[in-house]
Amino acid sequence: MYDVAIIGAGVIGSMVARELARYQLSVVVLEGAHDVAMGTTKANSAIVHAGFDAVVGTLKAKLNVAGSEAMEEVCRELGVKYQRNGSLVVAYRPQDMEKVRELYDRGQKNGVRGLEVIGQEELRKMEPAISEEAVGALYAPTGAIVCPYELNIASIGNAMDNGVELKVEYKVTSIEKKDDAYEISNGTEKVQARFVVNAAGMYADHVAAMVGDTSFSLYPRKGQYMLLDHDCVGSITHTLFNVPNELGKGILVSPTVDQNLLLGPTAENQEDREDMATTAEGLQMVQTNALKVVPSVNLRGVITAFAGLRAVGSTGDFILTSPMKGFWNAAGIESPGLSSAPAIAKYLVNGMAKQGLELVEKADFNPIRPALHDFSKMSIEEKNEMIRKNPLYGHIICRCESISEGEIVDAIRQNPPARDIDGVKRRTRAGMGRCQGGFCGPMVTEILAKEMQIPMEQVTKFGGGSYMNVGRTREEQSHEKD
Ligand SMILES: Cc1cc2nc3c(=O)[nH]c(=O)nc-3n(C[C@H](O)[C@H](O)[C@H](O)COP(=O)(O)OP(=O)(O)OC[C@H]3O[C@@H](n4cnc5c(N)ncnc54)[C@H](O)[C@@H]3O)c2cc1C
């Protein structure tokens, strides 16, 4: 019997787990996928929104501003890359300045610090590469960028270091209320808990329906992106938004914390909750709109394209509800969900406390999770010292991002362990560069096989049947002929 079971190890479930790890509680996180950070959290704009966009008085507005205020400290504790680069909502027509002023007023009411409406001259000084057509902007100095999957992995990792249990490949298929507790099942293994947090992302409505809560529904809205190599960032330092419309914040141009340039997302409603394919039309729209913002963007520097799905809720706000005692929904967590995550976690833990969850602080809770060594950023003296201690740091595996074998082995051995090629990629950046794993993929496969003590044929890209080495070798084929 656990005190709390959390369904879903995206950024929300993981942040809730970390918040609960501060207290003397038994907590389990149940994740359906092969690894954490496999849902919406792995593919989004990575912006810590300042909080001027959400409608005044909504949970989105309150928790966005509180989350954004808390994020820098959370990232410092968790060793996650974060940069307060500031954002600009750019107007291209004089009439759009009215919307900019509206956002300014809304931001003031939401409690966002430091907002300013700026004119063309100042805008051009801040962002010299911006389109000549830009007439002014809303400047939000508290806007920031973060690495979303790092934040996800580090928060569940820190929770695990402080005693939280994680079960991956545990897809919840039924929940039954039994006296004062819930019995959760994946069809083969049962887990009992007094409190349940439903943080199942795109499937949170299905999980809520398992306890009879059909008060909301979700549908997917796809966002497609293009990611450009390091040398394409140029002089761009801020996140550049367009004036938003009813479908969202439009196509943005933004540097990432790893010094890539991100263009996107589109906003396309669809029915399929799994379809994350990019399309020629979607990427064309990203290109066209990004060029309107910064005409000099070098599209030859595109290294990959990807898409994510927003879990759009039927209520228009975050759905943080408790349909019955002990059961909490964290549903409809579309943008600004990443920005709000630290505040959503506190909100849910307070809600559970009001229903009787006892929060007795652990004396030995350690909020710190050091980042993996970033070998490429060390001085030559530091590198030599690292190699002297462990020669694996002297063996570069990913040439594009300069990632060593030592860093990959660390990622496989830490909490939560990398268990597949994409897991190594999200934790270390091996495979994130221009060749997208073309060179390092086979070596990462070999390291995973060695560390996990499994044959290379059993190593997968992202769990399930995504094996990297399938079929017969030429040698095997020629033996068969003999
Ligand atoms: C295109 C796009 C752009 C965005 N940009 C931003 C941005 O710039 N800033 C911002 O603040 N927010 C942004 N967001 C929103 C942000 O990404 C989300 O709010 C956040 O990632 C949601 O996290 P989550 O944990 O709720 O969901 P997920 O990350 O989807 O996690 C849910 C987890 O639940 C698991 N799961 C599902 N069903 C089950 C089950 N039955 N049993 C067990 N596990 C299950 C899934 O496998 C998954 O791991 C964006 C979203 C998109 C799609």
Side-chain angles (χ1 to χ4, degrees):
M1 173 72 81
Y2 293 92
D3 291 311
V4 187
I6 300 165
I7 303 170
V11 72
I12 301 300
S14 301
M15 280 273 176
V16 174
R18 180 178 186 247
E19 199 53 37
L20 289 169
R22 296 173 191 276
Y23 305 103
Q24 293 175 25
L25 296 167
S26 57
V27 180
V28 65
V29 181
L30 307 171
E31 168 54 54
H34 189 241
D35 193 5
V36 305
M38 293 282 278
T40 303
T41 306
K42 80 168 184 219
N44 55 60
S45 307
I47 311 299
V48 183
H49 293 290
F52 51 77
D53 193 41
V55 176
V56 181
T58 57
L59 280 173
K60 276 187 185 172
K62 285 183 211 152
L63 299 174
N64 182 170
V65 176
S68 152
E69 291 283 345
M71 193 64 89
E72 187 164 15
E73 174 66 3
V74 169
C75 289
R76 194 191 56 73
E77 289 179 342
L78 295 176
V80 170
K81 286 181 221 111
Y82 166 96
Q83 196 188 329
R84 203 171 271 251
N85 64 330
S87 62
L88 291 160
V89 183
V90 184
Y92 296 92
R93 301 173 308 173
Q95 60 267 40
D96 288 339
M97 284 306 284
E98 211 174 293
K99 183 74 191 171
V100 164
R101 281 186 207 97
E102 221 177 88
L103 289 175
Y104 172 86
D105 289 342
R106 196 187 283 182
Q108 296 289 64
K109 289 186 187 134
N110 287 348
V112 182
R113 291 180 294 116
L115 289 176
E116 265 179 74
V117 176
I118 59 169
Q120 200 173 42
E121 204 180 320
E122 199 170 343
L123 175 59
R124 195 137 298 130
K125 264 193 235 151
M126 289 169 89
E127 284 297 347
I130 203 146
S131 158
E132 303 235 315
E133 286 173 28
V135 292
L138 175 67
Y139 172 49
T142 57
I145 46 180
V146 68
C147 180
Y149 38 85
E150 248 183 44
L151 180 64
N152 189 155
I153 292 164
S155 40
I156 188 84
N158 183 240
M160 291 167 79
D161 292 344
N162 284 288
V164 168
E165 202 179 317
L166 168 70
K167 287 179 191 281
V168 288
E169 292 175 13
Y170 191 111
K171 186 176 175 205
V172 175
T173 51
S174 70
I175 307 173
E176 228 182 291
K177 178 99 170 94
K178 287 208 164 162
D179 303 324
D180 281 347
Y182 292 88
E183 189 172 85
I184 303 167
S185 172
N186 65 353
T188 51
E189 184 191 348
K190 286 181 178 159
V191 162
Q192 292 198 331
R194 290 196 298 127
F195 286 82
V196 177
V197 176
N198 165 18
M202 202 57 255
Y203 291 93
D205 54 346
H206 291 186
V207 171
M210 291 177 198
V211 294
D213 178 15
T214 52
S215 60
F216 66 91
S217 59
L218 302 176
Y219 67 90
R221 181 176 290 160
K222 188 188 277 185
Q224 303 191 39
Y225 292 94
M226 292 170 115
L227 188 74
L228 279 67
D229 211 351
H230 305 301
D231 55 1
C232 298
V233 179
S235 61
I236 303 167
T237 56
H238 299 86
T239 299
L240 305 174
F241 294 108
N242 287 303
V243 170
N245 63 23
E246 63 287 349
L247 279 180
K249 303 174 190 80
I251 304 285
L252 60 82
V253 173
S254 181
T256 69
V257 283
D258 292 299
Q259 281 305 298
N260 291 99
L261 192 68
L262 186 66
L263 316 178
T266 55
E268 305 156 68
N269 294 338
Q270 62 182 40
E271 281 181 14
D272 191 330
R273 296 182 189 220
E274 296 293 326
D275 172 11
M276 275 182 261
T278 54
T279 61
E281 305 80 62
L283 296 178
Q284 186 59 52
M285 179 187 261
V286 170
Q287 286 186 28
T288 309
N289 283 286
L291 287 172
K292 279 188 196 153
V293 181
V294 180
S296 58
V297 163
N298 175 14
L299 291 168
R300 297 180 73 180
V302 173
I303 55 175
T304 189
F306 61 91
L309 297 181
R310 305 165 181 90
V312 183
S314 50
T315 68
D317 201 357
F318 292 153
I319 301 161
L320 303 176
T321 52
S322 177
M324 59 182 73
K325 190 174 170 227
F327 188 95
W328 281 85
N329 291 309
I333 312 294
E334 50 177 321
S335 187
L338 175 68
S339 321
S340 313
I344 292 177
K346 281 201 191 303
Y347 183 95
L348 291 169
V349 172
N350 286 339
M352 287 187 273
K354 283 186 192 142
Q355 290 180 346
L357 183 69
E358 267 184 61
L359 302 183
V360 181
E361 282 188 18
K362 266 187 212 156
D364 59 351
F365 173 74
N366 181 4
I368 306 296
R369 182 185 190 264
L372 289 176
H373 299 294
D374 190 344
F375 193 74
S376 66
K377 302 229 165 56
M378 289 178 182
S379 67
I380 195 77
E381 292 78 22
E382 287 169 328
K383 282 182 179 164
N384 283 336
E385 183 54 26
M386 287 294 287
I387 294 168
R388 246 192 306 279
K389 282 192 200 145
N390 180 354
L392 293 184
Y393 290 106
H395 184 202
I396 295 299
I397 300 292
C398 168
R399 288 188 254 167
C400 302
E401 300 288 312
S402 292
I403 310 297
S404 67
E405 184 171 356
E407 289 157 274
I408 294 171
V409 168
D410 288 345
I412 299 170
R413 292 185 186 172
Q414 70 170 186
N415 272 331
R419 299 164 69 230
D420 51 44
I421 307 263
D422 284 358
V424 167
K425 176 169 150 180
R426 281 193 295 275
R427 286 161 177 82
T428 65
R429 292 190 58 73
M432 288 270 185
R434 181 164 273 272
C435 89
Q436 289 287 295
F439 284 102
C440 63
M443 282 184 283
V444 173
T445 308
E446 217 176 321
I447 299 167
L448 275 163
K450 191 167 140 211
E451 281 293 312
M452 291 164 67
Q453 298 183 359
I454 54 173
M456 276 191 36
E457 302 86 274
Q458 280 179 25
V459 174
T460 63
K461 185 157 163 35
F462 48 79
S466 62
Y467 297 107
M468 295 299 289
N469 299 299
V470 288
R472 291 160 300 157
T473 60
R474 228 180 258 167
E475 202 185 349
E476 283 166 343
Q477 287 174 23
S478 68
H479 283 318
E480 278 167 17
K481 271 189 207 144
D482 297 344

